[in-house]
Amino acid sequence: MAATSALMTRAFRVLPTARTARMHTAALGGLCQSHTRMAGIQRAARQSTCLPLPRSFRHRVSTRFLSQTASSPESTSLSNEARQELESKIKAKGDAIRAMKEDGVSKQDLAPHVAELLELKSQLDPLSSSSPAPTTTQKAKPDTKQTKSDTEESDYITSRSENYSKWYNDIIRVCDLAEPSPVRGCMVIKPWGMSIWDQIRNDLDARIKEHGAENAYFPLLIPKSFLSKEAEHVDGFAKECAVVTHHRLTVDTTEGPNKGGLIADPEAELEDPLIIRPTSETMIWNMFKKWIVSHRDLPLKVNQWANVMRWEMRTRPFLRTSEFLWQEGHTAHATAEGAIQDSKDMLDQYAELCRDLLAIPVIKGAKSPSERFAGAEETFTIEALMQNGWALQSGTSHFLGQSFGKAFDVTFQDAEGKQQDVWGTSWGVSTRLIGALIMTHSDDAGLVLPPRVAPVQVVVVPIPPKKNDEEGRIALNNALDTLVADLKGKGLKVKVDDRDYVRNGAKYFEWERKGVPLRIELGPRDVKGGVCVFKYRVGKEDKETVSLDEAATKAVDGLDELQGYLLEAAKERLAAGINLMATYEQMKEALEKDEASEYNGPGLYLVPWKCDATNEEKIKEECKATIRCYPTDVNEAGMWKGKKCFYSGEDATHMALFGRAF
Amino acid sequence: MAATSALMTRAFRVLPTARTARMHTAALGGLCQSHTRMAGIQRAARQSTCLPLPRSFRHRVSTRFLSQTASSPESTSLSNEARQELESKIKAKGDAIRAMKEDGVSKQDLAPHVAELLELKSQLDPLSSSSPAPTTTQKAKPDTKQTKSDTEESDYITSRSENYSKWYNDIIRVCDLAEPSPVRGCMVIKPWGMSIWDQIRNDLDARIKEHGAENAYFPLLIPKSFLSKEAEHVDGFAKECAVVTHHRLTVDTTEGPNKGGLIADPEAELEDPLIIRPTSETMIWNMFKKWIVSHRDLPLKVNQWANVMRWEMRTRPFLRTSEFLWQEGHTAHATAEGAIQDSKDMLDQYAELCRDLLAIPVIKGAKSPSERFAGAEETFTIEALMQNGWALQSGTSHFLGQSFGKAFDVTFQDAEGKQQDVWGTSWGVSTRLIGALIMTHSDDAGLVLPPRVAPVQVVVVPIPPKKNDEEGRIALNNALDTLVADLKGKGLKVKVDDRDYVRNGAKYFEWERKGVPLRIELGPRDVKGGVCVFKYRVGKEDKETVSLDEAATKAVDGLDELQGYLLEAAKERLAAGINLMATYEQMKEALEKDEASEYNGPGLYLVPWKCDATNEEKIKEECKATIRCYPTDVNEAGMWKGKKCFYSGEDATHMALFGRAF
């Protein structure tokens, strides 16, 4: 908290009232992040009876943090004349774009024109533009139908307030993160999205090695008999998985419409079908049996970066796809304590990864028994709060007890020479984290990326001098070269956008959408003055003129501040999004009709709870809410003690965090 | 050449006579590496009629480079008495090991005892030890039957001269690189092997980005109809592939032995089966169709790191497995020239990766038409020569022409507004490179790793002082900490082996086997003298006493030298392994009975050749030799001009490199 605050200069300012209020709050037992805990409990103290919070309050908090670049109110008041002129300009531009499309002009070439069109429209109706809606009219639905039919569907970003789910899909499509593939439920991860995953991978891989695990690689295919070995595991994973039954295609010679096409060769049927791994516990424990003999072989920790497959009926890009990329760590230990500690340590690593790289605050906790991984004695989780008030399980770590050790007959000889069963853990995070990233920071104008994970941290847009100004051109190029070298010298990831067929405004628009944290403009007049112009994606509203000599240093500092600002804003939102001391009826009323598409919904509920699978199931049926976790901090602090379960009225055994979840 | 020679100090010396001879050789047109070219042609000039080379010569060359740690001849002469004593010690040790095994002692705990046993045996019979066989008796088969039955099969490394194929498998097993899995044809890559692949990946990923390609990820599963779209491609890849036909398992309720087991759910059969990608051209060109509209979208270059699957009947770890890891790059271009240049540039990158990271010299060339990738107009390849004289195709880059562009209807609008078909390339290297690495450098004592790719570059073995010497213990620990910090400060990957339950000799033995390039011993007497002891895995026979102050600097220099030494030694072997101006009968005689298991076999044949698929097929039938490539350098230099085909006697069109291949 202190470290983050230190990053918050005047420029990147969080809501001062909230900060001041927090400082006056007594530190009670709380949630994972001390900051979150305090703010949450402070809110509870302040509003002990009227939960959930009035919507207006929550809006005030969140929109202040999430969209600081709202259009100025002036732009909405246009004279009739001006309006007519704008409308005819818009029509002309729209016609021109359609004509270009018919001529087969590329998306890239169209981009500047589409950008102009959107700019014109934003003058006419600020709500339909890419700028976030002003605070006061957050829930008003703009008339966007016309807008959408005029512009290219694929270039349009639905506003969050209109439909949060659609906004999410639009961001993924428009920012080139991923795309549906011809295989149902599987996506193509495009370079911009893949670069984010590669960053996550690099960062986490170092943490995993620090944790003492080594990378290995295990087969994609698993004999189906392996799944049956662990009784709970088979229930969890045998249901929806891809089954390989043949090892050859051949030409179809039977009469019929497919004649001459390819079929699975009946003569190449496998004796024992194989399944594509939904997770690799079974394969890995099969190998552990060979690798573990003595206590000196323990702990044994391996990790693999791999693709896995779970046949999903309803998919959402990054959040739930049939195939996804992840890492899965598997460890074996001589003692239960060793295994539990390992699974908790990795959960800490995941939480730190989210906080330090992705600027996502998470709540650490344990899953209720009915939400545990199939075969685990305890499942630890990190839960993040998305902007729409839904939770996203962002990483899990399982204490497997001796279940897989026994199922695969893995024993070791202890120091006294006795044979003992082995204890295990497994832990993983996936490309789902990219979904968490999008729904934590991004806004109606597009993606917002924390600098540490951005594929491009600084985009430099040189503004060319007039055609005949050869001297100016040389001066600009020299200044540009020096600037880029300085920025790269500081270790920044820099891109120069010198495309001569795209207008500056369109470039700005494009890189803002794609979430590049800092844009630097450099024109002939700037070069003469020895300066350049900084514009941050979020946080600072105004452009900033910076001396070229100091540009690299200022960029590093500014990006650091931005990283801190995004984390702080997300923490504020998490704190504001946790409802404390609600009654069950209050929660039910708020959650039962809540949809993923609703922006800024009711949020999460931290309540006293008596652990009971039947009641948990009833609540799920009644209001679609699930226990996201028993948050570690408040439970270890005994916050549930002396309280009654908010559902059964019996003595509470835990503090439970309920919510709707992706 | 000059750069490498600069690295060769007195300590790491290659055969002086060969170097001198090479310097006197005129530079003619030649093979990929100027060094290789000269040496090869010099050999040809020297021995224009008597090819292949007399075996004794080749032995002299290769064993000098590959095993510089041969046992001294004295160790073979034992008195009868001494021999009996040794034999009884061996028996006692063998009995003790068997007893420990029965008690379930771990492999790790057994290692020192096995090491002692092998040491004793090496005194009795130097040929059965892990030290390389002396030069003069290279082909003599030691009586190792008894040895093998006495020791743990899994800890024994067959000598290369006894059976090269078995040696290769032993290296992989004993050095913990990989292990067979329960799924036929699929292997588990263990941490030591995975770390090598991760190094290759990191190095190559940077090269690929430098080349202008971005990482992306495409689905594992491909609709079978996609395969049929490119006519040649379907022939190449539909034959042996894993077919997914169902998306669910269910409990078998039919009467029979499997009742209650799992079966593919008949109700979850896919309408259109999917195949696990054997390669991704079809999926990627299907996406390219959406992504490419205008000439401004070109060139488009993507790469993915992925697993692929080709159902193989006969597998060899790393060289040919059903599932393997690789990267596949795919590019689209506006012109044929652009595409051809791209595929050649990537081949250069692959060759540089092999040379600079793995110390493997390769021959660059083009495949003959019948050896091209299914769907390519031209396939470029890098071929490496393994120690047994067989070639290993180590990477390929394909110019696809417009085949996939047309098959997937990918067109672009050129600058004049005309629709044009798109040109393509694809290129890849795989975990096969680990096989190339093993069979280029390793010896009878185990793995030899070039420092740049070694998972551990320096292992430090502290030798503890006597039990009561507390002062000595503190001094040792201090010196150790400083030494390790110094080494790490130079960016070296260091491991300290301070296991107190393994004897020093066993540690040395273990890390030598695993190929760690440098071992540093540090004992109490060394600490007092302010020194430590260096021992390199290969190249320098003697231990070296080094001042602790200089240790880190000397280690960096020594490892650099070692890297250069390994490349130089491999280049010498490649030069010596290419037969020039052989007649077809000579080649046939040499190759038809050559086996992968035969160490130091006949090698490769560079011959004038008239390109002819029928003759190529006949040669393959007659002597199992294939055209590895038409080497680029000698063909561009027109070396075939005016020559007659060594098979048909007609005018030559190429210089072809024939050989047996994995």
Side-chain angles (χ1 to χ4, degrees), chain A residues 358-383:
Chain A
L358 306 176
I360 301 176
V362 295
I363 298 165
K364 291 188 280 190
K367 286 285 181 193
S368 67
S370 43
E371 295 275 341
R372 280 180 198 142
F373 173 75
E377 279 195 21
E378 188 85 90
T379 286
F380 302 105
T381 177
I382 50 170
E383 301 281 326

PDB file of all heavy atoms in Angstrom, chain A residues 358-383:
ATOM      1  N   LEU A 358       0.117  -7.565 -13.628  1.00  0.00           N
ATOM      2  CA  LEU A 358      -1.145  -7.248 -14.296  1.00  0.00           C
ATOM      3  C   LEU A 358      -1.945  -6.148 -13.603  1.00  0.00           C
ATOM      4  O   LEU A 358      -2.987  -5.746 -14.102  1.00  0.00           O
ATOM      5  CB  LEU A 358      -2.001  -8.522 -14.395  1.00  0.00           C
ATOM      6  CG  LEU A 358      -1.313  -9.739 -15.048  1.00  0.00           C
ATOM      7  CD1 LEU A 358      -2.219 -10.966 -14.995  1.00  0.00           C
ATOM      8  CD2 LEU A 358      -0.942  -9.437 -16.501  1.00  0.00           C
ATOM      9  N   ALA A 359      -1.471  -5.686 -12.453  1.00  0.00           N
ATOM     10  CA  ALA A 359      -2.176  -4.656 -11.682  1.00  0.00           C
ATOM     11  C   ALA A 359      -3.601  -5.086 -11.338  1.00  0.00           C
ATOM     12  O   ALA A 359      -4.535  -4.288 -11.366  1.00  0.00           O
ATOM     13  CB  ALA A 359      -2.166  -3.319 -12.429  1.00  0.00           C
ATOM     14  N   ILE A 360      -3.737  -6.374 -11.038  1.00  0.00           N
ATOM     15  CA  ILE A 360      -5.045  -6.908 -10.639  1.00  0.00           C
ATOM     16  C   ILE A 360      -4.977  -7.324  -9.174  1.00  0.00           C
ATOM     17  O   ILE A 360      -4.234  -8.245  -8.827  1.00  0.00           O
ATOM     18  CB  ILE A 360      -5.435  -8.139 -11.481  1.00  0.00           C
ATOM     19  CG1 ILE A 360      -5.483  -7.787 -12.971  1.00  0.00           C
ATOM     20  CG2 ILE A 360      -6.766  -8.727 -11.019  1.00  0.00           C
ATOM     21  CD1 ILE A 360      -5.759  -8.982 -13.874  1.00  0.00           C
ATOM     22  N   PRO A 361      -5.745  -6.667  -8.296  1.00  0.00           N
ATOM     23  CA  PRO A 361      -5.799  -7.128  -6.902  1.00  0.00           C
ATOM     24  C   PRO A 361      -6.704  -8.351  -6.835  1.00  0.00           C
ATOM     25  O   PRO A 361      -7.719  -8.413  -7.538  1.00  0.00           O
ATOM     26  CB  PRO A 361      -6.434  -5.947  -6.173  1.00  0.00           C
ATOM     27  CG  PRO A 361      -7.260  -5.260  -7.211  1.00  0.00           C
ATOM     28  CD  PRO A 361      -6.617  -5.507  -8.543  1.00  0.00           C
ATOM     29  N   VAL A 362      -6.333  -9.316  -6.040  1.00  0.00           N
ATOM     30  CA  VAL A 362      -7.157 -10.524  -5.938  1.00  0.00           C
ATOM     31  C   VAL A 362      -7.455 -10.856  -4.482  1.00  0.00           C
ATOM     32  O   VAL A 362      -6.778 -10.368  -3.567  1.00  0.00           O
ATOM     33  CB  VAL A 362      -6.465 -11.749  -6.579  1.00  0.00           C
ATOM     34  CG1 VAL A 362      -6.287 -11.560  -8.078  1.00  0.00           C
ATOM     35  CG2 VAL A 362      -5.124 -12.033  -5.915  1.00  0.00           C
ATOM     36  N   ILE A 363      -8.468 -11.659  -4.283  1.00  0.00           N
ATOM     37  CA  ILE A 363      -8.799 -12.156  -2.951  1.00  0.00           C
ATOM     38  C   ILE A 363      -8.357 -13.607  -2.887  1.00  0.00           C
ATOM     39  O   ILE A 363      -8.767 -14.429  -3.712  1.00  0.00           O
ATOM     40  CB  ILE A 363     -10.307 -12.047  -2.697  1.00  0.00           C
ATOM     41  CG1 ILE A 363     -10.717 -10.578  -2.743  1.00  0.00           C
ATOM     42  CG2 ILE A 363     -10.670 -12.692  -1.365  1.00  0.00           C
ATOM     43  CD1 ILE A 363     -12.205 -10.379  -2.864  1.00  0.00           C
ATOM     44  N   LYS A 364      -7.503 -13.900  -1.918  1.00  0.00           N
ATOM     45  CA  LYS A 364      -7.031 -15.272  -1.750  1.00  0.00           C
ATOM     46  C   LYS A 364      -7.953 -16.007  -0.785  1.00  0.00           C
ATOM     47  O   LYS A 364      -8.378 -15.420   0.212  1.00  0.00           O
ATOM     48  CB  LYS A 364      -5.611 -15.286  -1.185  1.00  0.00           C
ATOM     49  CG  LYS A 364      -4.576 -14.786  -2.159  1.00  0.00           C
ATOM     50  CD  LYS A 364      -3.171 -14.991  -1.647  1.00  0.00           C
ATOM     51  CE  LYS A 364      -2.776 -13.918  -0.647  1.00  0.00           C
ATOM     52  NZ  LYS A 364      -1.341 -13.960  -0.315  1.00  0.00           N
ATOM     53  N   GLY A 365      -8.237 -17.240  -1.083  1.00  0.00           N
ATOM     54  CA  GLY A 365      -9.080 -17.985  -0.168  1.00  0.00           C
ATOM     55  C   GLY A 365      -9.117 -19.454  -0.509  1.00  0.00           C
ATOM     56  O   GLY A 365      -8.394 -19.917  -1.394  1.00  0.00           O
ATOM     57  N   ALA A 366      -9.972 -20.170   0.222  1.00  0.00           N
ATOM     58  CA  ALA A 366     -10.147 -21.602  -0.016  1.00  0.00           C
ATOM     59  C   ALA A 366     -11.535 -21.830  -0.600  1.00  0.00           C
ATOM     60  O   ALA A 366     -12.489 -21.134  -0.245  1.00  0.00           O
ATOM     61  CB  ALA A 366      -9.995 -22.372   1.297  1.00  0.00           C
ATOM     62  N   LYS A 367     -11.643 -22.785  -1.493  1.00  0.00           N
ATOM     63  CA  LYS A 367     -12.937 -23.124  -2.065  1.00  0.00           C
ATOM     64  C   LYS A 367     -13.749 -23.916  -1.032  1.00  0.00           C
ATOM     65  O   LYS A 367     -13.186 -24.635  -0.199  1.00  0.00           O
ATOM     66  CB  LYS A 367     -12.759 -23.970  -3.330  1.00  0.00           C
ATOM     67  CG  LYS A 367     -12.264 -23.182  -4.539  1.00  0.00           C
ATOM     68  CD  LYS A 367     -13.392 -22.335  -5.137  1.00  0.00           C
ATOM     69  CE  LYS A 367     -12.945 -21.561  -6.362  1.00  0.00           C
ATOM     70  NZ  LYS A 367     -13.916 -20.532  -6.764  1.00  0.00           N
ATOM     71  N   SER A 368     -15.055 -23.800  -1.108  1.00  0.00           N
ATOM     72  CA  SER A 368     -15.900 -24.661  -0.276  1.00  0.00           C
ATOM     73  C   SER A 368     -15.769 -26.086  -0.805  1.00  0.00           C
ATOM     74  O   SER A 368     -15.377 -26.281  -1.956  1.00  0.00           O
ATOM     75  CB  SER A 368     -17.352 -24.200  -0.366  1.00  0.00           C
ATOM     76  OG  SER A 368     -17.846 -24.417  -1.668  1.00  0.00           O
ATOM     77  N   PRO A 369     -16.098 -27.082   0.030  1.00  0.00           N
ATOM     78  CA  PRO A 369     -15.886 -28.468  -0.404  1.00  0.00           C
ATOM     79  C   PRO A 369     -16.522 -28.776  -1.761  1.00  0.00           C
ATOM     80  O   PRO A 369     -15.923 -29.483  -2.583  1.00  0.00           O
ATOM     81  CB  PRO A 369     -16.542 -29.278   0.713  1.00  0.00           C
ATOM     82  CG  PRO A 369     -16.402 -28.411   1.922  1.00  0.00           C
ATOM     83  CD  PRO A 369     -16.539 -26.997   1.427  1.00  0.00           C
ATOM     84  N   SER A 370     -17.691 -28.234  -2.032  1.00  0.00           N
ATOM     85  CA  SER A 370     -18.339 -28.607  -3.293  1.00  0.00           C
ATOM     86  C   SER A 370     -17.732 -27.926  -4.519  1.00  0.00           C
ATOM     87  O   SER A 370     -18.034 -28.312  -5.640  1.00  0.00           O
ATOM     88  CB  SER A 370     -19.842 -28.324  -3.233  1.00  0.00           C
ATOM     89  OG  SER A 370     -20.075 -27.082  -2.644  1.00  0.00           O
ATOM     90  N   GLU A 371     -16.902 -26.931  -4.289  1.00  0.00           N
ATOM     91  CA  GLU A 371     -16.268 -26.259  -5.434  1.00  0.00           C
ATOM     92  C   GLU A 371     -14.820 -26.705  -5.638  1.00  0.00           C
ATOM     93  O   GLU A 371     -14.099 -26.142  -6.455  1.00  0.00           O
ATOM     94  CB  GLU A 371     -16.302 -24.730  -5.246  1.00  0.00           C
ATOM     95  CG  GLU A 371     -17.675 -24.105  -5.229  1.00  0.00           C
ATOM     96  CD  GLU A 371     -18.208 -23.798  -6.638  1.00  0.00           C
ATOM     97  OE1 GLU A 371     -17.404 -23.732  -7.578  1.00  0.00           O
ATOM     98  OE2 GLU A 371     -19.432 -23.647  -6.773  1.00  0.00           O
ATOM     99  N   ARG A 372     -14.399 -27.722  -4.876  1.00  0.00           N
ATOM    100  CA  ARG A 372     -13.001 -28.151  -4.990  1.00  0.00           C
ATOM    101  C   ARG A 372     -12.720 -28.876  -6.297  1.00  0.00           C
ATOM    102  O   ARG A 372     -13.605 -29.473  -6.896  1.00  0.00           O
ATOM    103  CB  ARG A 372     -12.648 -29.103  -3.834  1.00  0.00           C
ATOM    104  CG  ARG A 372     -12.338 -28.393  -2.547  1.00  0.00           C
ATOM    105  CD  ARG A 372     -11.995 -29.402  -1.446  1.00  0.00           C
ATOM    106  NE  ARG A 372     -12.125 -28.757  -0.138  1.00  0.00           N
ATOM    107  CZ  ARG A 372     -12.599 -29.336   0.955  1.00  0.00           C
ATOM    108  NH1 ARG A 372     -13.010 -30.601   0.911  1.00  0.00           N
ATOM    109  NH2 ARG A 372     -12.682 -28.674   2.082  1.00  0.00           N
ATOM    110  N   PHE A 373     -11.456 -28.865  -6.675  1.00  0.00           N
ATOM    111  CA  PHE A 373     -10.965 -29.620  -7.827  1.00  0.00           C
ATOM    112  C   PHE A 373     -11.235 -31.108  -7.592  1.00  0.00           C
ATOM    113  O   PHE A 373     -11.130 -31.602  -6.464  1.00  0.00           O
ATOM    114  CB  PHE A 373      -9.463 -29.363  -7.935  1.00  0.00           C
ATOM    115  CG  PHE A 373      -8.728 -30.173  -8.963  1.00  0.00           C
ATOM    116  CD1 PHE A 373      -8.835 -29.870 -10.312  1.00  0.00           C
ATOM    117  CD2 PHE A 373      -7.902 -31.225  -8.584  1.00  0.00           C
ATOM    118  CE1 PHE A 373      -8.129 -30.598 -11.260  1.00  0.00           C
ATOM    119  CE2 PHE A 373      -7.191 -31.957  -9.528  1.00  0.00           C
ATOM    120  CZ  PHE A 373      -7.309 -31.642 -10.868  1.00  0.00           C
ATOM    121  N   ALA A 374     -11.574 -31.794  -8.664  1.00  0.00           N
ATOM    122  CA  ALA A 374     -11.932 -33.216  -8.552  1.00  0.00           C
ATOM    123  C   ALA A 374     -10.725 -34.050  -8.128  1.00  0.00           C
ATOM    124  O   ALA A 374      -9.830 -34.281  -8.931  1.00  0.00           O
ATOM    125  CB  ALA A 374     -12.470 -33.707  -9.887  1.00  0.00           C
ATOM    126  N   GLY A 375     -10.692 -34.446  -6.889  1.00  0.00           N
ATOM    127  CA  GLY A 375      -9.572 -35.234  -6.380  1.00  0.00           C
ATOM    128  C   GLY A 375      -8.760 -34.490  -5.331  1.00  0.00           C
ATOM    129  O   GLY A 375      -7.819 -35.043  -4.782  1.00  0.00           O
ATOM    130  N   ALA A 376      -9.124 -33.239  -5.043  1.00  0.00           N
ATOM    131  CA  ALA A 376      -8.349 -32.437  -4.089  1.00  0.00           C
ATOM    132  C   ALA A 376      -8.977 -32.466  -2.695  1.00  0.00           C
ATOM    133  O   ALA A 376     -10.189 -32.586  -2.557  1.00  0.00           O
ATOM    134  CB  ALA A 376      -8.244 -30.992  -4.574  1.00  0.00           C
ATOM    135  N   GLU A 377      -8.127 -32.332  -1.685  1.00  0.00           N
ATOM    136  CA  GLU A 377      -8.631 -32.204  -0.315  1.00  0.00           C
ATOM    137  C   GLU A 377      -8.923 -30.750   0.012  1.00  0.00           C
ATOM    138  O   GLU A 377      -9.707 -30.441   0.909  1.00  0.00           O
ATOM    139  CB  GLU A 377      -7.610 -32.761   0.683  1.00  0.00           C
ATOM    140  CG  GLU A 377      -7.682 -34.259   0.783  1.00  0.00           C
ATOM    141  CD  GLU A 377      -6.945 -34.794   2.005  1.00  0.00           C
ATOM    142  OE1 GLU A 377      -6.708 -34.034   2.972  1.00  0.00           O
ATOM    143  OE2 GLU A 377      -6.613 -35.993   1.981  1.00  0.00           O
ATOM    144  N   GLU A 378      -8.226 -29.878  -0.667  1.00  0.00           N
ATOM    145  CA  GLU A 378      -8.403 -28.446  -0.442  1.00  0.00           C
ATOM    146  C   GLU A 378      -8.021 -27.745  -1.739  1.00  0.00           C
ATOM    147  O   GLU A 378      -7.020 -28.086  -2.357  1.00  0.00           O
ATOM    148  CB  GLU A 378      -7.474 -27.989   0.693  1.00  0.00           C
ATOM    149  CG  GLU A 378      -7.672 -26.583   1.168  1.00  0.00           C
ATOM    150  CD  GLU A 378      -8.769 -26.429   2.230  1.00  0.00           C
ATOM    151  OE1 GLU A 378      -8.454 -26.535   3.436  1.00  0.00           O
ATOM    152  OE2 GLU A 378      -9.925 -26.192   1.825  1.00  0.00           O
ATOM    153  N   THR A 379      -8.868 -26.803  -2.146  1.00  0.00           N
ATOM    154  CA  THR A 379      -8.531 -26.001  -3.327  1.00  0.00           C
ATOM    155  C   THR A 379      -8.426 -24.544  -2.911  1.00  0.00           C
ATOM    156  O   THR A 379      -9.377 -23.983  -2.363  1.00  0.00           O
ATOM    157  CB  THR A 379      -9.591 -26.163  -4.439  1.00  0.00           C
ATOM    158  OG1 THR A 379      -9.442 -27.438  -5.055  1.00  0.00           O
ATOM    159  CG2 THR A 379      -9.406 -25.091  -5.525  1.00  0.00           C
ATOM    160  N   PHE A 380      -7.258 -23.966  -3.139  1.00  0.00           N
ATOM    161  CA  PHE A 380      -7.060 -22.540  -2.884  1.00  0.00           C
ATOM    162  C   PHE A 380      -7.252 -21.786  -4.187  1.00  0.00           C
ATOM    163  O   PHE A 380      -6.934 -22.294  -5.271  1.00  0.00           O
ATOM    164  CB  PHE A 380      -5.673 -22.283  -2.304  1.00  0.00           C
ATOM    165  CG  PHE A 380      -5.423 -23.036  -1.027  1.00  0.00           C
ATOM    166  CD1 PHE A 380      -4.606 -24.160  -1.010  1.00  0.00           C
ATOM    167  CD2 PHE A 380      -6.042 -22.650   0.161  1.00  0.00           C
ATOM    168  CE1 PHE A 380      -4.388 -24.875   0.167  1.00  0.00           C
ATOM    169  CE2 PHE A 380      -5.833 -23.363   1.343  1.00  0.00           C
ATOM    170  CZ  PHE A 380      -5.006 -24.481   1.341  1.00  0.00           C
ATOM    171  N   THR A 381      -7.759 -20.570  -4.073  1.00  0.00           N
ATOM    172  CA  THR A 381      -8.079 -19.830  -5.289  1.00  0.00           C
ATOM    173  C   THR A 381      -7.735 -18.362  -5.126  1.00  0.00           C
ATOM    174  O   THR A 381      -7.682 -17.848  -4.005  1.00  0.00           O
ATOM    175  CB  THR A 381      -9.591 -19.994  -5.603  1.00  0.00           C
ATOM    176  OG1 THR A 381      -9.927 -19.218  -6.755  1.00  0.00           O
ATOM    177  CG2 THR A 381     -10.451 -19.489  -4.449  1.00  0.00           C
ATOM    178  N   ILE A 382      -7.482 -17.717  -6.242  1.00  0.00           N
ATOM    179  CA  ILE A 382      -7.468 -16.251  -6.248  1.00  0.00           C
ATOM    180  C   ILE A 382      -8.667 -15.796  -7.079  1.00  0.00           C
ATOM    181  O   ILE A 382      -8.882 -16.277  -8.190  1.00  0.00           O
ATOM    182  CB  ILE A 382      -6.151 -15.651  -6.796  1.00  0.00           C
ATOM    183  CG1 ILE A 382      -5.768 -16.274  -8.142  1.00  0.00           C
ATOM    184  CG2 ILE A 382      -5.012 -15.805  -5.804  1.00  0.00           C
ATOM    185  CD1 ILE A 382      -4.617 -15.566  -8.839  1.00  0.00           C
ATOM    186  N   GLU A 383      -9.463 -14.900  -6.498  1.00  0.00           N
ATOM    187  CA  GLU A 383     -10.658 -14.410  -7.167  1.00  0.00           C
ATOM    188  C   GLU A 383     -10.478 -12.917  -7.435  1.00  0.00           C
ATOM    189  O   GLU A 383     -10.082 -12.154  -6.556  1.00  0.00           O
ATOM    190  CB  GLU A 383     -11.894 -14.621  -6.280  1.00  0.00           C
ATOM    191  CG  GLU A 383     -12.149 -16.072  -5.901  1.00  0.00           C
ATOM    192  CD  GLU A 383     -12.811 -16.897  -6.998  1.00  0.00           C
ATOM    193  OE1 GLU A 383     -13.639 -16.316  -7.757  1.00  0.00           O
ATOM    194  OE2 GLU A 383     -12.525 -18.112  -7.104  1.00  0.00           O
TER     195      GLU A 383
END
